[in-house]
Amino acid sequence: MAELRVLFIGAGAVNFGGAEGPWDHSRRLEGEGGVLIVAIADPDTPKAEQVLERKRAGPAGDLYRDCAVFPSYRDAIQSTHPDVAFIGVPPNCHGSLEEPRDMELQCLRAGVHVFVEKPVSVLPPEQFEAYVEAVEAAQRERGLVLSVGYMFRYHPAVEKMRAALQQYGRPPIVVNARYNCAYSEMNHPFWWDKAKSGGPIVEQATHFCDLLRHLGGEVALGSVSAITVPASDSSGDPGYLSAVQAVVREQELPLSRRPPRLTSAHMRFQGGGVGTLTHGVTLHGQKYETAIEVWADGLRMSLEEPYFPECRLRVRLGNTDEEQVEGFPDADPYLGEVQVFLAAVRSRDPSKVRSSYRDAAKTYQLSWAIRRASEQD
């Protein structure tokens, strides 16, 4: 099997790991075999050089033997001729027809398969649609694979929930999603600026917007309503946060561009059921707290802490007061999505991936519907 030549676009935590969470595409790739890392593209070349030095000194150093650093992904493509690209950059740096933010499109036109992280853009959905169409056309024309990083679709617990709903045979009555992020160590300025990140629903809770669709079906976007606790500079208000890092310079932003501290949204699925999403920016430390639950006639499923090995799926089914509890200590949905992407690339079968660009655009539309409804509050 020929080695796949890999380009990383972005030298940050999504591609190379960090303190904030379990994401780290390079580490998963290194364990798969059959790959060679040929380039890291990032305008911050000193940072990329530090990443490369660390990787070459590590246990998978040989995979980086021919790797070079470039300030431009275009130069990296032209010089190293990669087979696949992993795009992990701030949301405002991609997902647009405007150069150089059209990196997905340029990769596809160069014959490079693409794995891209969410969110897929920061543009309003009606403006983003033209880019989606261009990306889809380029993908079809070149016969390439494009996968979007909605990793929970590869989580064995979510697979079990989907199977239970298929056996149930009807849409669920309600899907409740809760996401409370730990913010005190979030030191990326872009995240704290809605103009650059899209806001916490578009940038972060998008994973749970995707699970709402994945488990409950398509949402009637006109049904979405939402309210927020907005940011505040007054220590007596609920929207005042005491542990925002000075380095993110949130105080310099107008209140309208700061992330809401809480968003609570309701919606109706096209199948008739109801969805809810509660997203908070309230916890200190590193560990997020998340859960998603499904209620149906004679069925209740609750998935707790799916980001972490200690996640649990609690199921109460049928005429019983007892619940079944299953753990998934070995689950790694990040690895699962990478494995499926590589298999799709090697077989040139885009249908293997579970989140296409078009499908991800639907999740993007939902996240924007929630954001817009909350801003009318």
Side-chain angles (χ1 to χ4, degrees), residues 85-107:
F86 280 76
I87 299 175
V89 298
N92 62 321
C93 294
H94 70 117
S96 169
L97 287 169
E98 178 185 333
E99 297 182 4
R101 295 165 59 196
D102 58 343
M103 56 185 65
E104 299 90 349
L105 187 57
Q106 294 304 323
C107 285

Side-chain angles (χ1 to χ4, degrees), residues 197-253:
S197 70
I201 300 300
V202 173
E203 197 281 333
Q204 190 176 72
T206 182
H207 282 299
F208 276 38
C209 292
D210 193 65
L211 282 178
L212 285 167
R213 292 183 52 242
H214 198 53
L215 297 173
E218 296 301 337
V219 172
L221 295 180
S223 72
V224 174
S225 63
I227 57 176
T228 69
V229 174
S232 174
D233 285 330
S234 175
S235 61
D237 290 344
Y240 175 80
L241 297 182
S242 62
V244 177
Q245 291 196 21
V247 69
V248 305
R249 304 170 73 174
E250 193 195 32
Q251 291 284 333
E252 298 178 14
L253 295 172

Side-chain angles (χ1 to χ4, degrees), residues 89-373:
V89 298
N92 62 321
C93 294
H94 70 117
S96 169
L97 287 169
E98 178 185 333
E99 297 182 4
R101 295 165 59 196
D102 58 343
M103 56 185 65
E104 299 90 349
L105 187 57
Q106 294 304 323
C107 285
L108 293 168
R109 287 175 173 171
V112 181
H113 303 276
V114 173
F115 183 102
V116 59
E117 269 302 337
K118 43 51 66 183
V120 285
S121 185
V122 293
L123 294 176
E126 58 274 11
Q127 296 179 28
F128 180 56
E129 176 60 26
Y131 189 68
V132 176
E133 292 176 358
V135 166
E136 285 189 305
Q139 183 184 359
R140 285 193 305 268
E141 181 179 342
R142 299 302 299 265
L144 297 168
V145 175
L146 188 153
S147 180
V148 181
Y150 284 110
M151 74 287 177
F152 285 133
R153 293 189 175 213
Y154 302 84
H155 198 298
V158 173
E159 292 174 339
K160 285 180 176 288
M161 296 172 80
R162 287 260 293 181
L165 285 169
Q166 290 173 357
Q167 185 174 3
Y168 173 71
R170 285 187 282 160
I173 293 172
V174 67
V175 182
N176 297 313
R178 300 191 303 278
Y179 193 122
N180 197 358
C181 85
Y183 75 88
S184 62
E185 297 190 28
M186 294 179 65
N187 59 4
H188 304 298
F190 84 85
W191 191 90
W192 293 91
D193 185 347
K194 287 164 55 176
K196 296 179 179 179
S197 70
I201 300 300
V202 173
E203 197 281 333
Q204 190 176 72
T206 182
H207 282 299
F208 276 38
C209 292
D210 193 65
L211 282 178
L212 285 167
R213 292 183 52 242
H214 198 53
L215 297 173
E218 296 301 337
V219 172
L221 295 180
S223 72
V224 174
S225 63
I227 57 176
T228 69
V229 174
S232 174
D233 285 330
S234 175
S235 61
D237 290 344
Y240 175 80
L241 297 182
S242 62
V244 177
Q245 291 196 21
V247 69
V248 305
R249 304 170 73 174
E250 193 195 32
Q251 291 284 333
E252 298 178 14
L253 295 172
L255 290 172
S256 62
R257 282 174 55 179
R258 303 184 201 179
R261 298 354 188 175
L262 180 116
T263 303
S264 178
H266 294 74
M267 65 210 72
R268 184 171 296 281
F269 296 111
Q270 292 178 6
V274 170
T276 74
L277 171 66
T278 302
H279 177 275
V281 184
T282 72
L283 297 175
H284 297 188
Q286 294 183 1
K287 186 177 180 181
Y288 296 8
E289 294 183 0
T290 60
I292 190 160
E293 55 184 13
V294 176
W295 298 359
D297 182 16
L299 173 66
R300 188 267 293 151
M301 299 182 287
S302 179
L303 178 58
E304 303 167 353
E305 308 300 348
Y307 279 99
F308 302 104
E310 59 267 31
C311 76
R312 294 288 184 272
L313 177 61
R314 301 179 181 275
V315 179
R316 179 174 168 182
L317 176 64
N319 189 25
T320 177
D321 295 338
E322 302 298 321
E323 71 172 6
Q324 299 176 339
V325 182
E326 185 174 359
F328 301 86
D330 299 322
D332 185 350
Y334 298 93
L335 176 60
E337 66 181 354
V338 167
Q339 290 175 328
V340 170
F341 172 65
L342 294 179
V345 167
R346 289 183 170 122
S347 62
R348 298 189 78 87
D349 182 1
S351 68
K352 290 182 183 292
V353 304
R354 300 179 190 177
S355 184
S356 67
Y357 208 64
R358 171 58 63 183
D359 192 77
K362 293 180 180 179
T363 293
Y364 188 66
Q365 287 178 327
L366 174 57
S367 67
W368 263 86
I370 295 171
R371 172 183 167 171
R372 283 173 163 164

